[in-house]
Amino acid sequence: MTREEMARYIDHTNLNPKASGRDIECLCKEALQYRFAAVCVNPYRIKQAAELLKGSGVNVVSVIGFPFGATFPKAKAFETERAIGEGANEVDMVVNIGALKDGNYELVSRDISAVVKAAGGAIVKVILECCYLTDEEKAMACRISAEAGADFVKTSTGFGSGGATIEDVTLLRRNVPDHMGVKAAGGIRDFKTAYAFIQAGASRIGTSSGPQIIDGLSSKN
């Protein structure tokens, strides 16, 4: 795998609530330098990132219902509409974890569908926060996400009790159709780890360590 190939897997991420405008500027400069697939920022920072990346081919991702997912479908839909209006090309929404654990699958489906509709064709990734779910709940969330029209499922917010695991990525890949992607996020900080997730079935890597991952890719890889 070349540096360029690996870079196109990476959503270069800064969701730190303390991130300053200067931090986001640095994030975007690194994304341009390395030609990452996207940057991922909090909603307040969408417009800045979109202006810095305009015309570059680097997408802007923002988060919806973040980090707990425990809000109303209409609120998530409004957030999504606003995010797209500010310049986001993709949204990563947090599933309603409590509703999923209750077995309230109708609400989970309505929640995801509302975001997909509001996104108007922009890419929608559903964050499952796998560290809080059983394997059965993860598999059910994958099926609901697919039926609701989402484009990806994603392992983690990075703010839960655990991040991405190879086992979870393998499980998610097995439970979504071929046209859907799997995003691994949470604790991925070096090339060896990122590559292992790609081999397990990840089609996108969410990380705040994008440059370190690329720089750790030796010519032998």
Side-chain angles (χ1 to χ4, degrees):
M1 178 176 283
T2 66
R3 291 168 61 94
E4 292 76 16
E5 288 169 341
M6 173 58 81
R8 299 310 296 169
Y9 280 92
I10 292 176
D11 286 356
H12 193 33
T13 303
N14 189 337
L15 295 170
N16 189 325
K18 298 182 290 183
S20 66
R22 187 171 294 180
D23 292 330
I24 302 305
E25 183 178 353
C26 179
L27 184 83
C28 292
K29 284 182 177 178
E30 289 174 339
L32 290 170
Q33 176 186 348
Y34 288 89
R35 307 303 304 168
F36 292 132
V39 299
C40 185
V41 297
N42 281 309
Y44 173 60
R45 299 296 182 181
I46 295 171
K47 184 172 286 188
Q48 179 189 5
E51 289 173 354
L52 289 168
L53 297 171
K54 185 176 180 179
S56 69
V58 178
N59 279 352
V60 177
V61 185
S62 195
V63 287
I64 305 297
F66 196 81
F68 302 120
T71 190
F72 309 105
K74 286 185 178 179
K76 290 181 182 176
F78 173 80
E79 275 192 278
T80 302
E81 290 175 0
R82 184 65 184 269
I84 301 302
E86 293 281 302
N89 311 104
E90 308 182 12
V91 294
D92 289 13
M93 66 163 290
V94 186
V95 76
N96 189 320
I97 301 163
L100 182 60
K101 296 195 77 67
D102 285 342
N104 190 349
Y105 304 137
E106 187 277 331
L107 176 57
V108 175
S109 178
R110 181 154 44 90
D111 193 49
I112 299 169
S113 295
V115 170
V116 170
K117 182 178 179 181
I123 289 173
V124 174
K125 310 188 198 85
V126 181
I127 307 173
L128 306 186
E129 201 69 295
C130 290
C131 59
Y132 298 140
L133 304 178
T134 66
D135 285 353
E136 291 75 17
E137 289 164 344
K138 296 166 197 172
M140 177 59 72
C142 285
R143 290 193 286 272
I144 294 171
S145 298
E147 290 169 2
D151 301 286
F152 280 74
V153 288
K154 177 178 171 182
T155 59
S156 325
T157 63
F159 289 82
S161 60
T165 69
I166 295 294
E167 292 76 16
D168 280 337
V169 167
T170 302
L171 185 153
L172 300 188
R173 180 68 270 167
R174 190 168 62 242
N175 283 281
V176 295
D178 291 343
H179 72 269
M180 284 185 69
V182 174
K183 180 174 173 179
I188 304 171
R189 301 186 179 91
D190 58 65
F191 169 74
K192 183 178 180 181
T193 304
Y195 188 63
F197 278 110
I198 292 167
Q199 288 185 307
S203 39
R204 199 77 73 86
I205 301 292
T207 179
S208 59
S209 302
Q212 295 94 309
I213 290 171
I214 301 302
D215 292 341
L217 198 168
S218 73
S219 58
K220 292 181 180 180
N221 297 116

PDB file of all heavy atoms in Angstrom, residues 9-44:
ATOM      1  N   TYR A   9      -8.005   6.550   2.911  1.00  0.00           N
ATOM      2  CA  TYR A   9      -8.846   5.877   3.904  1.00  0.00           C
ATOM      3  C   TYR A   9      -9.137   6.764   5.120  1.00  0.00           C
ATOM      4  O   TYR A   9     -10.025   6.441   5.918  1.00  0.00           O
ATOM      5  CB  TYR A   9      -8.143   4.608   4.425  1.00  0.00           C
ATOM      6  CG  TYR A   9      -8.250   3.408   3.532  1.00  0.00           C
ATOM      7  CD1 TYR A   9      -7.274   3.134   2.582  1.00  0.00           C
ATOM      8  CD2 TYR A   9      -9.321   2.522   3.641  1.00  0.00           C
ATOM      9  CE1 TYR A   9      -7.360   2.006   1.771  1.00  0.00           C
ATOM     10  CE2 TYR A   9      -9.411   1.398   2.836  1.00  0.00           C
ATOM     11  CZ  TYR A   9      -8.430   1.155   1.902  1.00  0.00           C
ATOM     12  OH  TYR A   9      -8.523   0.037   1.089  1.00  0.00           O
ATOM     13  N   ILE A  10      -8.411   7.838   5.275  1.00  0.00           N
ATOM     14  CA  ILE A  10      -8.377   8.534   6.565  1.00  0.00           C
ATOM     15  C   ILE A  10      -9.311   9.732   6.630  1.00  0.00           C
ATOM     16  O   ILE A  10      -9.269  10.617   5.779  1.00  0.00           O
ATOM     17  CB  ILE A  10      -6.932   8.958   6.894  1.00  0.00           C
ATOM     18  CG1 ILE A  10      -6.085   7.709   7.175  1.00  0.00           C
ATOM     19  CG2 ILE A  10      -6.892   9.916   8.080  1.00  0.00           C
ATOM     20  CD1 ILE A  10      -4.626   7.977   7.424  1.00  0.00           C
ATOM     21  N   ASP A  11     -10.149   9.748   7.687  1.00  0.00           N
ATOM     22  CA  ASP A  11     -10.879  10.935   8.101  1.00  0.00           C
ATOM     23  C   ASP A  11     -10.048  11.579   9.215  1.00  0.00           C
ATOM     24  O   ASP A  11     -10.052  11.106  10.362  1.00  0.00           O
ATOM     25  CB  ASP A  11     -12.263  10.575   8.652  1.00  0.00           C
ATOM     26  CG  ASP A  11     -13.256  10.175   7.579  1.00  0.00           C
ATOM     27  OD1 ASP A  11     -12.912  10.236   6.384  1.00  0.00           O
ATOM     28  OD2 ASP A  11     -14.397   9.799   7.940  1.00  0.00           O
ATOM     29  N   HIS A  12      -9.339  12.638   8.882  1.00  0.00           N
ATOM     30  CA  HIS A  12      -8.440  13.303   9.827  1.00  0.00           C
ATOM     31  C   HIS A  12      -9.308  14.113  10.802  1.00  0.00           C
ATOM     32  O   HIS A  12     -10.044  15.007  10.378  1.00  0.00           O
ATOM     33  CB  HIS A  12      -7.476  14.195   9.057  1.00  0.00           C
ATOM     34  CG  HIS A  12      -6.314  14.701   9.837  1.00  0.00           C
ATOM     35  ND1 HIS A  12      -5.718  13.979  10.848  1.00  0.00           N
ATOM     36  CD2 HIS A  12      -5.624  15.891   9.753  1.00  0.00           C
ATOM     37  CE1 HIS A  12      -4.708  14.681  11.339  1.00  0.00           C
ATOM     38  NE2 HIS A  12      -4.638  15.837  10.693  1.00  0.00           N
ATOM     39  N   THR A  13      -9.215  13.817  12.077  1.00  0.00           N
ATOM     40  CA  THR A  13     -10.259  14.188  13.030  1.00  0.00           C
ATOM     41  C   THR A  13      -9.765  15.066  14.173  1.00  0.00           C
ATOM     42  O   THR A  13      -8.713  14.807  14.763  1.00  0.00           O
ATOM     43  CB  THR A  13     -10.885  12.903  13.618  1.00  0.00           C
ATOM     44  OG1 THR A  13     -11.396  12.095  12.540  1.00  0.00           O
ATOM     45  CG2 THR A  13     -11.989  13.211  14.602  1.00  0.00           C
ATOM     46  N   ASN A  14     -10.554  16.106  14.476  1.00  0.00           N
ATOM     47  CA  ASN A  14     -10.375  16.847  15.725  1.00  0.00           C
ATOM     48  C   ASN A  14     -11.756  17.199  16.253  1.00  0.00           C
ATOM     49  O   ASN A  14     -12.384  18.153  15.811  1.00  0.00           O
ATOM     50  CB  ASN A  14      -9.538  18.106  15.524  1.00  0.00           C
ATOM     51  CG  ASN A  14      -9.171  18.756  16.865  1.00  0.00           C
ATOM     52  OD1 ASN A  14      -9.861  18.547  17.869  1.00  0.00           O
ATOM     53  ND2 ASN A  14      -8.102  19.538  16.887  1.00  0.00           N
ATOM     54  N   LEU A  15     -12.219  16.412  17.221  1.00  0.00           N
ATOM     55  CA  LEU A  15     -13.518  16.633  17.861  1.00  0.00           C
ATOM     56  C   LEU A  15     -13.348  17.075  19.307  1.00  0.00           C
ATOM     57  O   LEU A  15     -14.297  17.026  20.101  1.00  0.00           O
ATOM     58  CB  LEU A  15     -14.360  15.356  17.785  1.00  0.00           C
ATOM     59  CG  LEU A  15     -14.752  14.926  16.374  1.00  0.00           C
ATOM     60  CD1 LEU A  15     -15.375  13.536  16.387  1.00  0.00           C
ATOM     61  CD2 LEU A  15     -15.697  15.931  15.740  1.00  0.00           C
ATOM     62  N   ASN A  16     -12.151  17.529  19.634  1.00  0.00           N
ATOM     63  CA  ASN A  16     -11.883  18.022  20.984  1.00  0.00           C
ATOM     64  C   ASN A  16     -12.728  19.267  21.228  1.00  0.00           C
ATOM     65  O   ASN A  16     -12.672  20.223  20.442  1.00  0.00           O
ATOM     66  CB  ASN A  16     -10.396  18.346  21.116  1.00  0.00           C
ATOM     67  CG  ASN A  16      -9.986  18.648  22.544  1.00  0.00           C
ATOM     68  OD1 ASN A  16     -10.744  19.243  23.315  1.00  0.00           O
ATOM     69  ND2 ASN A  16      -8.777  18.247  22.911  1.00  0.00           N
ATOM     70  N   PRO A  17     -13.523  19.301  22.299  1.00  0.00           N
ATOM     71  CA  PRO A  17     -14.342  20.494  22.545  1.00  0.00           C
ATOM     72  C   PRO A  17     -13.514  21.744  22.793  1.00  0.00           C
ATOM     73  O   PRO A  17     -14.028  22.857  22.688  1.00  0.00           O
ATOM     74  CB  PRO A  17     -15.169  20.111  23.781  1.00  0.00           C
ATOM     75  CG  PRO A  17     -14.403  19.004  24.432  1.00  0.00           C
ATOM     76  CD  PRO A  17     -13.735  18.263  23.322  1.00  0.00           C
ATOM     77  N   LYS A  18     -12.235  21.570  23.110  1.00  0.00           N
ATOM     78  CA  LYS A  18     -11.353  22.719  23.354  1.00  0.00           C
ATOM     79  C   LYS A  18     -10.599  23.160  22.103  1.00  0.00           C
ATOM     80  O   LYS A  18      -9.804  24.109  22.166  1.00  0.00           O
ATOM     81  CB  LYS A  18     -10.345  22.374  24.454  1.00  0.00           C
ATOM     82  CG  LYS A  18     -10.967  22.053  25.805  1.00  0.00           C
ATOM     83  CD  LYS A  18      -9.912  21.774  26.858  1.00  0.00           C
ATOM     84  CE  LYS A  18      -9.206  20.462  26.596  1.00  0.00           C
ATOM     85  NZ  LYS A  18      -8.220  20.123  27.661  1.00  0.00           N
ATOM     86  N   ALA A  19     -10.846  22.497  20.982  1.00  0.00           N
ATOM     87  CA  ALA A  19     -10.123  22.838  19.746  1.00  0.00           C
ATOM     88  C   ALA A  19     -10.391  24.287  19.349  1.00  0.00           C
ATOM     89  O   ALA A  19     -11.542  24.735  19.309  1.00  0.00           O
ATOM     90  CB  ALA A  19     -10.527  21.902  18.629  1.00  0.00           C
ATOM     91  N   SER A  20      -9.336  25.006  19.036  1.00  0.00           N
ATOM     92  CA  SER A  20      -9.439  26.407  18.629  1.00  0.00           C
ATOM     93  C   SER A  20      -9.508  26.508  17.114  1.00  0.00           C
ATOM     94  O   SER A  20      -9.272  25.525  16.388  1.00  0.00           O
ATOM     95  CB  SER A  20      -8.220  27.182  19.122  1.00  0.00           C
ATOM     96  OG  SER A  20      -7.049  26.723  18.461  1.00  0.00           O
ATOM     97  N   GLY A  21      -9.799  27.702  16.613  1.00  0.00           N
ATOM     98  CA  GLY A  21      -9.771  27.939  15.176  1.00  0.00           C
ATOM     99  C   GLY A  21      -8.419  27.626  14.586  1.00  0.00           C
ATOM    100  O   GLY A  21      -8.321  27.095  13.468  1.00  0.00           O
ATOM    101  N   ARG A  22      -7.366  27.928  15.314  1.00  0.00           N
ATOM    102  CA  ARG A  22      -6.015  27.627  14.844  1.00  0.00           C
ATOM    103  C   ARG A  22      -5.792  26.114  14.744  1.00  0.00           C
ATOM    104  O   ARG A  22      -5.131  25.637  13.817  1.00  0.00           O
ATOM    105  CB  ARG A  22      -4.989  28.252  15.787  1.00  0.00           C
ATOM    106  CG  ARG A  22      -3.556  28.141  15.311  1.00  0.00           C
ATOM    107  CD  ARG A  22      -2.625  28.964  16.165  1.00  0.00           C
ATOM    108  NE  ARG A  22      -2.891  30.399  16.037  1.00  0.00           N
ATOM    109  CZ  ARG A  22      -2.231  31.347  16.679  1.00  0.00           C
ATOM    110  NH1 ARG A  22      -1.245  31.021  17.519  1.00  0.00           N
ATOM    111  NH2 ARG A  22      -2.527  32.614  16.498  1.00  0.00           N
ATOM    112  N   ASP A  23      -6.363  25.374  15.699  1.00  0.00           N
ATOM    113  CA  ASP A  23      -6.247  23.913  15.645  1.00  0.00           C
ATOM    114  C   ASP A  23      -6.916  23.355  14.398  1.00  0.00           C
ATOM    115  O   ASP A  23      -6.397  22.440  13.750  1.00  0.00           O
ATOM    116  CB  ASP A  23      -6.893  23.281  16.884  1.00  0.00           C
ATOM    117  CG  ASP A  23      -6.147  23.585  18.172  1.00  0.00           C
ATOM    118  OD1 ASP A  23      -4.917  23.757  18.123  1.00  0.00           O
ATOM    119  OD2 ASP A  23      -6.805  23.661  19.232  1.00  0.00           O
ATOM    120  N   ILE A  24      -8.088  23.898  14.054  1.00  0.00           N
ATOM    121  CA  ILE A  24      -8.807  23.435  12.866  1.00  0.00           C
ATOM    122  C   ILE A  24      -8.054  23.825  11.600  1.00  0.00           C
ATOM    123  O   ILE A  24      -8.000  23.055  10.633  1.00  0.00           O
ATOM    124  CB  ILE A  24     -10.242  23.982  12.850  1.00  0.00           C
ATOM    125  CG1 ILE A  24     -10.991  23.544  14.116  1.00  0.00           C
ATOM    126  CG2 ILE A  24     -10.978  23.532  11.594  1.00  0.00           C
ATOM    127  CD1 ILE A  24     -11.001  22.046  14.368  1.00  0.00           C
ATOM    128  N   GLU A  25      -7.451  24.984  11.595  1.00  0.00           N
ATOM    129  CA  GLU A  25      -6.631  25.397  10.458  1.00  0.00           C
ATOM    130  C   GLU A  25      -5.476  24.423  10.246  1.00  0.00           C
ATOM    131  O   GLU A  25      -5.177  24.027   9.114  1.00  0.00           O
ATOM    132  CB  GLU A  25      -6.104  26.807  10.677  1.00  0.00           C
ATOM    133  CG  GLU A  25      -5.301  27.349   9.509  1.00  0.00           C
ATOM    134  CD  GLU A  25      -4.827  28.778   9.723  1.00  0.00           C
ATOM    135  OE1 GLU A  25      -5.226  29.400  10.719  1.00  0.00           O
ATOM    136  OE2 GLU A  25      -4.043  29.254   8.880  1.00  0.00           O
ATOM    137  N   CYS A  26      -4.840  24.018  11.341  1.00  0.00           N
ATOM    138  CA  CYS A  26      -3.743  23.046  11.261  1.00  0.00           C
ATOM    139  C   CYS A  26      -4.252  21.705  10.745  1.00  0.00           C
ATOM    140  O   CYS A  26      -3.619  21.068   9.889  1.00  0.00           O
ATOM    141  CB  CYS A  26      -3.106  22.885  12.633  1.00  0.00           C
ATOM    142  SG  CYS A  26      -1.760  21.679  12.695  1.00  0.00           S
ATOM    143  N   LEU A  27      -5.407  21.273  11.228  1.00  0.00           N
ATOM    144  CA  LEU A  27      -6.008  20.014  10.784  1.00  0.00           C
ATOM    145  C   LEU A  27      -6.220  20.031   9.275  1.00  0.00           C
ATOM    146  O   LEU A  27      -5.880  19.067   8.570  1.00  0.00           O
ATOM    147  CB  LEU A  27      -7.343  19.813  11.504  1.00  0.00           C
ATOM    148  CG  LEU A  27      -8.085  18.508  11.239  1.00  0.00           C
ATOM    149  CD1 LEU A  27      -7.538  17.402  12.144  1.00  0.00           C
ATOM    150  CD2 LEU A  27      -9.588  18.672  11.487  1.00  0.00           C
ATOM    151  N   CYS A  28      -6.765  21.127   8.777  1.00  0.00           N
ATOM    152  CA  CYS A  28      -7.061  21.230   7.344  1.00  0.00           C
ATOM    153  C   CYS A  28      -5.787  21.319   6.504  1.00  0.00           C
ATOM    154  O   CYS A  28      -5.711  20.742   5.414  1.00  0.00           O
ATOM    155  CB  CYS A  28      -7.964  22.429   7.085  1.00  0.00           C
ATOM    156  SG  CYS A  28      -9.640  22.233   7.756  1.00  0.00           S
ATOM    157  N   LYS A  29      -4.778  22.017   7.001  1.00  0.00           N
ATOM    158  CA  LYS A  29      -3.503  22.096   6.289  1.00  0.00           C
ATOM    159  C   LYS A  29      -2.879  20.709   6.159  1.00  0.00           C
ATOM    160  O   LYS A  29      -2.337  20.349   5.109  1.00  0.00           O
ATOM    161  CB  LYS A  29      -2.554  23.057   6.997  1.00  0.00           C
ATOM    162  CG  LYS A  29      -2.893  24.524   6.774  1.00  0.00           C
ATOM    163  CD  LYS A  29      -1.885  25.422   7.463  1.00  0.00           C
ATOM    164  CE  LYS A  29      -2.169  26.898   7.189  1.00  0.00           C
ATOM    165  NZ  LYS A  29      -1.211  27.791   7.897  1.00  0.00           N
ATOM    166  N   GLU A  30      -2.956  19.922   7.248  1.00  0.00           N
ATOM    167  CA  GLU A  30      -2.426  18.553   7.191  1.00  0.00           C
ATOM    168  C   GLU A  30      -3.235  17.703   6.218  1.00  0.00           C
ATOM    169  O   GLU A  30      -2.668  16.888   5.469  1.00  0.00           O
ATOM    170  CB  GLU A  30      -2.455  17.939   8.586  1.00  0.00           C
ATOM    171  CG  GLU A  30      -1.426  18.548   9.527  1.00  0.00           C
ATOM    172  CD  GLU A  30      -1.553  18.052  10.948  1.00  0.00           C
ATOM    173  OE1 GLU A  30      -2.638  17.558  11.339  1.00  0.00           O
ATOM    174  OE2 GLU A  30      -0.566  18.178  11.709  1.00  0.00           O
ATOM    175  N   ALA A  31      -4.552  17.891   6.201  1.00  0.00           N
ATOM    176  CA  ALA A  31      -5.393  17.131   5.273  1.00  0.00           C
ATOM    177  C   ALA A  31      -5.037  17.445   3.827  1.00  0.00           C
ATOM    178  O   ALA A  31      -5.003  16.552   2.970  1.00  0.00           O
ATOM    179  CB  ALA A  31      -6.859  17.429   5.537  1.00  0.00           C
ATOM    180  N   LEU A  32      -4.758  18.704   3.544  1.00  0.00           N
ATOM    181  CA  LEU A  32      -4.345  19.096   2.196  1.00  0.00           C
ATOM    182  C   LEU A  32      -2.968  18.542   1.857  1.00  0.00           C
ATOM    183  O   LEU A  32      -2.729  18.082   0.732  1.00  0.00           O
ATOM    184  CB  LEU A  32      -4.344  20.617   2.084  1.00  0.00           C
ATOM    185  CG  LEU A  32      -5.723  21.291   2.099  1.00  0.00           C
ATOM    186  CD1 LEU A  32      -5.570  22.803   2.233  1.00  0.00           C
ATOM    187  CD2 LEU A  32      -6.510  20.941   0.841  1.00  0.00           C
ATOM    188  N   GLN A  33      -2.063  18.595   2.810  1.00  0.00           N
ATOM    189  CA  GLN A  33      -0.706  18.116   2.577  1.00  0.00           C
ATOM    190  C   GLN A  33      -0.687  16.614   2.278  1.00  0.00           C
ATOM    191  O   GLN A  33       0.006  16.162   1.350  1.00  0.00           O
ATOM    192  CB  GLN A  33       0.171  18.396   3.812  1.00  0.00           C
ATOM    193  CG  GLN A  33       1.578  17.843   3.700  1.00  0.00           C
ATOM    194  CD  GLN A  33       2.373  18.022   4.998  1.00  0.00           C
ATOM    195  OE1 GLN A  33       1.952  18.742   5.900  1.00  0.00           O
ATOM    196  NE2 GLN A  33       3.502  17.354   5.085  1.00  0.00           N
ATOM    197  N   TYR A  34      -1.469  15.849   3.054  1.00  0.00           N
ATOM    198  CA  TYR A  34      -1.437  14.398   2.930  1.00  0.00           C
ATOM    199  C   TYR A  34      -2.511  13.846   1.992  1.00  0.00           C
ATOM    200  O   TYR A  34      -2.506  12.668   1.684  1.00  0.00           O
ATOM    201  CB  TYR A  34      -1.574  13.748   4.310  1.00  0.00           C
ATOM    202  CG  TYR A  34      -0.350  13.889   5.176  1.00  0.00           C
ATOM    203  CD1 TYR A  34      -0.181  14.992   6.009  1.00  0.00           C
ATOM    204  CD2 TYR A  34       0.663  12.922   5.164  1.00  0.00           C
ATOM    205  CE1 TYR A  34       0.936  15.135   6.815  1.00  0.00           C
ATOM    206  CE2 TYR A  34       1.777  13.043   5.962  1.00  0.00           C
ATOM    207  CZ  TYR A  34       1.919  14.156   6.793  1.00  0.00           C
ATOM    208  OH  TYR A  34       3.042  14.287   7.585  1.00  0.00           O
ATOM    209  N   ARG A  35      -3.439  14.714   1.578  1.00  0.00           N
ATOM    210  CA  ARG A  35      -4.541  14.328   0.694  1.00  0.00           C
ATOM    211  C   ARG A  35      -5.428  13.274   1.337  1.00  0.00           C
ATOM    212  O   ARG A  35      -5.763  12.236   0.749  1.00  0.00           O
ATOM    213  CB  ARG A  35      -4.025  13.824  -0.665  1.00  0.00           C
ATOM    214  CG  ARG A  35      -3.076  14.767  -1.386  1.00  0.00           C
ATOM    215  CD  ARG A  35      -3.691  16.135  -1.608  1.00  0.00           C
ATOM    216  NE  ARG A  35      -4.950  16.083  -2.332  1.00  0.00           N
ATOM    217  CZ  ARG A  35      -5.794  17.110  -2.441  1.00  0.00           C
ATOM    218  NH1 ARG A  35      -5.514  18.258  -1.851  1.00  0.00           N
ATOM    219  NH2 ARG A  35      -6.918  16.972  -3.124  1.00  0.00           N
ATOM    220  N   PHE A  36      -5.846  13.554   2.579  1.00  0.00           N
ATOM    221  CA  PHE A  36      -6.747  12.648   3.273  1.00  0.00           C
ATOM    222  C   PHE A  36      -8.125  12.651   2.618  1.00  0.00           C
ATOM    223  O   PHE A  36      -8.490  13.583   1.891  1.00  0.00           O
ATOM    224  CB  PHE A  36      -6.875  13.046   4.747  1.00  0.00           C
ATOM    225  CG  PHE A  36      -5.620  12.844   5.547  1.00  0.00           C
ATOM    226  CD1 PHE A  36      -5.144  13.850   6.383  1.00  0.00           C
ATOM    227  CD2 PHE A  36      -4.927  11.653   5.484  1.00  0.00           C
ATOM    228  CE1 PHE A  36      -4.003  13.664   7.132  1.00  0.00           C
ATOM    229  CE2 PHE A  36      -3.770  11.455   6.225  1.00  0.00           C
ATOM    230  CZ  PHE A  36      -3.309  12.471   7.058  1.00  0.00           C
ATOM    231  N   ALA A  37      -8.912  11.625   2.902  1.00  0.00           N
ATOM    232  CA  ALA A  37     -10.272  11.561   2.371  1.00  0.00           C
ATOM    233  C   ALA A  37     -11.112  12.716   2.888  1.00  0.00           C
ATOM    234  O   ALA A  37     -11.914  13.290   2.139  1.00  0.00           O
ATOM    235  CB  ALA A  37     -10.921  10.229   2.759  1.00  0.00           C
ATOM    236  N   ALA A  38     -10.936  13.053   4.171  1.00  0.00           N
ATOM    237  CA  ALA A  38     -11.801  14.059   4.791  1.00  0.00           C
ATOM    238  C   ALA A  38     -11.179  14.561   6.079  1.00  0.00           C
ATOM    239  O   ALA A  38     -10.241  13.961   6.619  1.00  0.00           O
ATOM    240  CB  ALA A  38     -13.183  13.451   5.075  1.00  0.00           C
ATOM    241  N   VAL A  39     -11.719  15.679   6.554  1.00  0.00           N
ATOM    242  CA  VAL A  39     -11.516  16.078   7.943  1.00  0.00           C
ATOM    243  C   VAL A  39     -12.846  15.895   8.657  1.00  0.00           C
ATOM    244  O   VAL A  39     -13.917  15.991   8.051  1.00  0.00           O
ATOM    245  CB  VAL A  39     -11.030  17.539   8.094  1.00  0.00           C
ATOM    246  CG1 VAL A  39      -9.694  17.745   7.416  1.00  0.00           C
ATOM    247  CG2 VAL A  39     -12.076  18.529   7.603  1.00  0.00           C
ATOM    248  N   CYS A  40     -12.786  15.630   9.955  1.00  0.00           N
ATOM    249  CA  CYS A  40     -13.987  15.465  10.773  1.00  0.00           C
ATOM    250  C   CYS A  40     -13.922  16.454  11.921  1.00  0.00           C
ATOM    251  O   CYS A  40     -12.977  16.409  12.724  1.00  0.00           O
ATOM    252  CB  CYS A  40     -14.092  14.035  11.284  1.00  0.00           C
ATOM    253  SG  CYS A  40     -15.627  13.695  12.185  1.00  0.00           S
ATOM    254  N   VAL A  41     -14.913  17.350  11.974  1.00  0.00           N
ATOM    255  CA  VAL A  41     -14.908  18.442  12.952  1.00  0.00           C
ATOM    256  C   VAL A  41     -16.285  18.573  13.592  1.00  0.00           C
ATOM    257  O   VAL A  41     -17.294  18.095  13.065  1.00  0.00           O
ATOM    258  CB  VAL A  41     -14.521  19.783  12.294  1.00  0.00           C
ATOM    259  CG1 VAL A  41     -13.102  19.726  11.738  1.00  0.00           C
ATOM    260  CG2 VAL A  41     -15.518  20.171  11.198  1.00  0.00           C
ATOM    261  N   ASN A  42     -16.323  19.255  14.726  1.00  0.00           N
ATOM    262  CA  ASN A  42     -17.590  19.563  15.372  1.00  0.00           C
ATOM    263  C   ASN A  42     -18.394  20.561  14.526  1.00  0.00           C
ATOM    264  O   ASN A  42     -17.820  21.318  13.728  1.00  0.00           O
ATOM    265  CB  ASN A  42     -17.348  20.129  16.767  1.00  0.00           C
ATOM    266  CG  ASN A  42     -17.027  19.043  17.776  1.00  0.00           C
ATOM    267  OD1 ASN A  42     -17.742  18.046  17.893  1.00  0.00           O
ATOM    268  ND2 ASN A  42     -15.944  19.228  18.526  1.00  0.00           N
ATOM    269  N   PRO A  43     -19.719  20.576  14.683  1.00  0.00           N
ATOM    270  CA  PRO A  43     -20.548  21.441  13.835  1.00  0.00           C
ATOM    271  C   PRO A  43     -20.136  22.904  13.825  1.00  0.00           C
ATOM    272  O   PRO A  43     -20.198  23.557  12.767  1.00  0.00           O
ATOM    273  CB  PRO A  43     -21.954  21.257  14.435  1.00  0.00           C
ATOM    274  CG  PRO A  43     -21.935  19.859  14.969  1.00  0.00           C
ATOM    275  CD  PRO A  43     -20.552  19.681  15.519  1.00  0.00           C
ATOM    276  N   TYR A  44     -19.719  23.424  14.946  1.00  0.00           N
ATOM    277  CA  TYR A  44     -19.316  24.828  15.018  1.00  0.00           C
ATOM    278  C   TYR A  44     -18.172  25.156  14.066  1.00  0.00           C
ATOM    279  O   TYR A  44     -18.018  26.306  13.640  1.00  0.00           O
ATOM    280  CB  TYR A  44     -18.920  25.157  16.456  1.00  0.00           C
ATOM    281  CG  TYR A  44     -18.321  26.523  16.662  1.00  0.00           C
ATOM    282  CD1 TYR A  44     -19.043  27.674  16.342  1.00  0.00           C
ATOM    283  CD2 TYR A  44     -17.031  26.672  17.181  1.00  0.00           C
ATOM    284  CE1 TYR A  44     -18.502  28.936  16.540  1.00  0.00           C
ATOM    285  CE2 TYR A  44     -16.489  27.923  17.372  1.00  0.00           C
ATOM    286  CZ  TYR A  44     -17.216  29.050  17.057  1.00  0.00           C
ATOM    287  OH  TYR A  44     -16.676  30.302  17.244  1.00  0.00           O
TER     288      TYR A  44
END
